[in-house]
Amino acid sequence: AAMPGDGCKGNVRYAAIGRISDRVLVATYHHFTAGPPSAKYLAVAQKVLSSDKVLSQQSANVPNAVEDSCCLMQADKKYMYIVFVEKSYPERTAFELLRMIRKDFTDKDATQAESATENSMSKTVKKWMSAACTKYDDLTSVNKVAAVQAQVKSCACDAADG
């Protein structure tokens, strides 16, 4: 069986969901385990969740948050959704991932999260969070534009060889 993290490109590193009312991270998920330790991401995620300045923006992109990864966040009235992605990862795509996490969370686990304690929902969300991060880790599969460009490139090469 494949180990978790196998086939992981390292585009998507870490994700977390924080409850805004008391600034508690109710769920965290470390996707790219070959990179920096989860504690580094956790510390930054907590800092982002605790920042009134960040919160007032509804969405934000913090460059070089953990080594070479950016931290992006999106907030609704109750929760903040945070992802860490590789620094060259397209911002628009990262926000799509955040929207997907937010939707999955709202549909599946939000009611439970109102009374959740720190990190108590990590196991619950891991199933769909892992699927979302795996999907978005592979840019060619989510970013159709990128995929089309990649195809065009290879076709052009084939034509040139012929």
Side-chain angles (χ1 to χ4, degrees), residues 18-36:
R19 187 171 54 220
I20 292 166
S21 58
D22 51 3
R23 311 292 170 105
V24 168
L25 286 167
V26 293
T28 58
Y29 170 63
H30 191 194
H31 187 64
F32 183 57
T33 47

Side-chain angles (χ1 to χ4, degrees), residues 37-67:
S38 57
K40 283 195 172 180
Y41 295 108
L42 182 66
V44 176
Q46 188 63 65
K47 210 181 282 178
V48 168
L49 176 62
S50 305
S51 162
D52 291 327
K53 179 172 171 271
V54 171
L55 201 54
S56 66
Q57 296 171 338
Q58 298 288 299
S59 71
N61 181 352
V62 184
N64 304 322
V66 173
E67 292 177 22

Side-chain angles (χ1 to χ4, degrees), residues 79-130:
Y79 299 99
M80 183 186 285
Y81 307 89
I82 301 167
V83 294
F84 290 82
V85 294
E86 200 274 324
K87 65 177 183 295
S88 61
Y89 193 88
E91 184 179 61
R92 192 177 56 94
T93 311
F95 280 115
E96 280 173 23
L97 168 58
L98 281 169
R99 276 195 293 276
M100 186 176 176
I101 289 174
R102 178 175 166 178
K103 186 184 182 314
D104 279 343
F105 179 72
T106 307
D107 292 351
K108 300 180 169 91
D109 298 311
T111 43
Q112 197 187 333
E114 292 184 20
S115 57
T117 52
E118 187 167 5
N119 212 17
S120 66
M121 300 204 43
S122 296
K123 279 197 176 71
T124 315
V125 304
K126 185 173 181 177
K127 203 184 303 161
W128 58 258
M129 188 95 88
S130 157

Side-chain angles (χ1 to χ4, degrees), residues 4-17:
D6 272 11
C8 193
K9 293 176 165 56
N11 283 321
V12 176
R13 308 283 174 89
Y14 189 90
I17 298 169

